[in-house]
Amino acid sequence: MRRTAITRLSVDGEQRELLEETISEWKRGCQIATDMAWGRCNAKSDVQPLAYDDVREHTGLGSQHAILATHQAAEAITGSLEHRSNGKTVSKPTFTAPTVTYDTRTMTLFDDDTVSLTTTESRVRCPLALPDADDGYQRQYLDSDEWSVTESTLTARNGDYFLHIGFRRPKTDTERNTAEDGTVLGVDLGIENLAVTSTASFVSERELTHNLREFETVRAGLQQTGTRSAHRTLEQSSGRELRYIRDVLHRASNAIVNEARRYECDVIAFEDLTHIRDRTGASWGHKWAFRTLYEQVEYKAESEGIAVKQVGSAYTSKRCAECGFTADENRPTRNDFQCVKCGSEANADYNAAKNIGMRYVRRGQQSSRRTGDSQLALKSGTVTLSGGFTAHPDGFEAEFMDKPHPPRANPPG
């Protein structure tokens, strides 16, 4: 399990200069490695031997930071190649963000709430500006023997330096053996509805779709202009874009995990995201949003002891969740599902969500490691693969009827 604790650093003038120089050299090192590896390789094991010597020679980075820079370059190139494989024209990654990566060799946390960081010249040791209250969320990781420090990120923002400290701990036996058999919540992702669950919960974000398209149009125009002013405007626009989208996705992921908790689900099942652009006609921005939403749900569900899985998506949008009949004619429009065999009608995304959840249930019957006792969570109750139905207790819906919904994020101006 992984967690991140963010805290501001208290630095003096000399430390500030050293950290600023280190960030500058880090960006230079990542760019050197990227320039050398672009079009040649993208695996860490290939980029490191190719670019390490040049990074060391042409920057002030120490040996470990030079290695980390080649790894960062490899990750950036891999991300670009993924976009290219989906038909999007991409350019070589550039490194402009004021950040630098640290690991356990380049960073040390001390019990007196200080941290030692490697710079281009020497190590600096500075206090963590933690909240005054002893129950600040950072304490549950800093003061625990169970959590160990892992790769972290230093970020400069508005004259301050923030350390995003990575922590991890092994899963307990209970967490490792999260019930593969149990109640499953199916989730379908789409354009009109960002997410729909098998329990008929709709996370509708038409504003998100509109703003993603606006952002992509503006970004494409500014990139084509190519002037320095356009580049500054692009950076500002991108910042607003990311803050808005991440806020929307944060709320959406909370809604999905809360739905799983409400129905006492053991597993949240998503469709396989690999070719989701081809299936939904989504833009690159939407694909990024889908993947980010999945990662946020996975992260949040893990702390609740809920497993998050992906299942094959073939025909989930054309298969009738009631009778199993599959045909193109079942989808007369993007939003409507009408089975030409049994006559069942439903929202298309809702029908797909039930198919996705049931596909995970069905997979349990074919696994030697599971007993095949999974059941799909529906709004009215749970259903097994054999058709066995158990209704929710009387009053279940009324209990949650007046539950307030989180406010929608305001789109950036």
Side-chain angles (χ1 to χ4, degrees), residues 278-293:
D278 298 333
R279 295 194 303 274
T280 65
S283 65
W284 174 87
H286 250 107
K287 180 186 176 183
W288 174 85
F290 292 152
R291 188 166 296 281
T292 301
L293 176 62

Side-chain angles (χ1 to χ4, degrees), residues 178-194:
T178 298
E180 293 285 350
D181 297 301
T183 305
V184 180
L185 181 73
V187 180
D188 178 70
L189 302 177
I191 306 300
E192 292 295 323
N193 298 294
L194 179 59

Side-chain angles (χ1 to χ4, degrees), residues 192-255:
E192 292 295 323
N193 298 294
L194 179 59
V196 179
T197 71
S198 58
T199 53
S201 175
F202 287 72
V203 181
S204 180
E205 288 294 350
R206 293 188 178 182
E207 288 182 10
L208 174 64
T209 296
H210 171 75
N211 281 282
L212 275 171
R213 290 170 179 163
E214 289 293 317
F215 290 141
E216 290 174 357
T217 300
V218 171
R219 183 166 53 231
L222 291 171
Q223 287 176 333
Q224 188 173 9
T225 301
T227 64
R228 182 172 298 180
S229 174
H231 181 70
R232 286 196 298 268
T233 304
L234 175 60
E235 288 185 339
Q236 294 170 357
S237 174
S238 296
R240 291 194 299 270
E241 169 188 353
L242 287 174
R243 286 192 295 273
Y244 165 68
I245 295 175
R246 287 189 184 280
D247 187 45
V248 170
L249 298 179
H250 166 69
R251 295 171 186 275
S253 60
N254 280 345

Side-chain angles (χ1 to χ4, degrees), residues 46 55 124 138 144 147 159 177 231 244 250 266 298 307 315 328 331 336 357 397 405:
D46 295 328
V55 173
V124 298
Q138 297 94 336
S144 173
W147 293 92
N177 296 319
H231 181 70
Y244 165 68
H250 166 69
D266 303 287
E298 186 177 38
Y315 306 114
D328 292 343
R331 285 287 300 275
D336 298 321
E397 282 296 319
H405 295 285

Side-chain angles (χ1 to χ4, degrees), residues 50-104:
L50 174 69
Y52 172 80
D53 289 341
D54 281 71
V55 173
R56 288 283 281 143
E57 180 180 353
H58 298 292
T59 72
L61 297 177
S63 59
Q64 186 61 21
H65 259 144
I67 292 173
L68 295 175
T70 65
H71 293 175
Q72 184 69 44
E75 291 178 6
I77 295 171
T78 299
S80 294
L81 293 178
E82 179 182 345
H83 299 163
R84 176 182 290 172
S85 68
N86 288 299
K88 183 177 178 65
T89 301
V90 297
S91 57
K92 181 174 60 180
T94 57
F95 295 85
T96 58
T99 65
V100 57
T101 299
Y102 281 88
D103 64 2
T104 54

